[in-house]
Structure formats: C-alpha cells, structure tokens
Amino acid sequence: CPRHGRRRKRRMKLMSFVELSRGQFDPADIAEMERFMLSTLRWRVNPPTPTAFVGYLLKLLPTTNIAQQDLVLHVLHELSRYLTELSVCLTDVSTLYRPSWVAYSAILLSMETIKVDVLPLAVREAFFTSAARISSQGWDGRA
C-alpha cells in the first residue's frame, strides 16, 4: 500500500526454491516440508501485531467536530504505535499478553497524554464503549 509505505507482495515460484537448492530438493520435498512447518505452527503465521490492532482500534473513535480531529487521530496513532513497538523490549508484555490488549493499553496511555479539551471525555467514553462492545464479541482472533 503506497499510502503506508508498504511494498507489494511478490509471489515466489516453487521452481525458484528448487533451483536455489541446486538439486538437493524437488518440488514435492519443498511442498511436504512447507506443509509440515505450517502444521507444526498450527497455521499461525503472520498473526496480527499490536501495531496492526492500534489501527483497527482507532477506527472505533467516533467522528466528531472537534478541532483538528485529523491531527488528534494522527498523534494518538503515532504515540500508540511507538508504545507498542517499545513493548517488544519487555518480554513479559510481548509474550504474555494478547496483541490487542497491548494495543488497547497503548491507546489508553496515549489518550492520557492528550488534554481533555483536545480529546473530550465524551469522545473517549464513546471509544471505550465501542471497544467493550466488540471485545465481548471475541474481536481478537485468539482463544
């Protein structure tokens, strides 16, 4: 997505891996190993990260007529993203807590840094209500 600086995904061809192995493995060997690895990982590859959840959760903020709403949203997003990136340095946080919990916590901490006249209590409460509603519906993707 050019907007977020992401590169387009390229599909790798199976024969490229066969060629890289210089005859050590044929397509069936590579496909079998891929199935084994995915089964071992229980297909948990590329799970949503706390940073991804920050983006999803901030969509719960109601649209209002507060001055400079785009700037407030941008600041919330950047502060929350920064905090989720810092959480990787804390082993307990990054391994014991769900990515959505880390993201939600980061957003709450970020909201605390913004003055109430810039991000009114009513907007915060609407966010909390929306988050509570979807959390009761199992929005995290993990049991």
Side-chain angles (χ1 to χ4, degrees):
C1 177
R3 181 174 167 218
H4 296 289
R6 296 183 189 150
R7 290 187 279 167
R8 215 175 75 208
K9 293 181 182 180
R10 285 186 14 189
R11 291 182 183 228
M12 298 286 297
K13 295 181 181 178
L14 183 58
M15 287 310 294
S16 297
F17 292 106
V18 172
E19 291 169 11
L20 285 171
S21 77
R22 296 185 181 168
Q24 294 290 323
F25 304 103
D26 63 24
D29 294 329
I30 294 171
E32 181 182 344
M33 183 53 68
E34 184 175 20
R35 276 191 296 279
F36 173 76
M37 290 176 8
L38 289 170
S39 175
T40 300
L41 295 171
R42 292 185 279 168
W43 286 83
R44 292 187 187 157
V45 292
N46 297 326
T49 64
T51 304
F53 274 110
V54 164
Y56 300 142
L57 289 171
L58 285 178
K59 290 180 182 178
L60 298 175
L61 275 172
T63 52
T64 63
N65 58 355
I66 60 174
Q68 300 179 329
Q69 180 172 351
D70 289 342
L71 178 59
V72 171
L73 185 59
H74 176 73
V75 168
L76 267 177
H77 185 268
E78 289 302 307
L79 284 172
S80 301
R81 186 181 61 79
Y82 177 69
L83 290 171
T84 61
E85 289 173 3
L86 285 179
S87 73
V88 174
C89 300
L90 303 170
T91 306
D92 288 346
V93 172
S94 61
T95 58
L96 296 177
Y97 299 101
R98 295 177 179 185
S100 59
W101 294 359
V102 174
Y104 186 70
S105 300
I107 292 169
L108 295 182
L109 287 170
S110 298
M111 284 182 169
E112 287 296 315
T113 67
I114 297 175
K115 294 180 179 181
V116 176
D117 58 326
V118 176
L119 186 63
L121 288 176
V123 173
R124 296 170 197 237
E125 289 171 6
F127 172 78
F128 302 150
T129 301
S130 295
R133 186 183 69 252
I134 63 168
S135 69
S136 67
Q137 297 172 4
W139 57 287
D140 194 8
R142 279 178 28 175

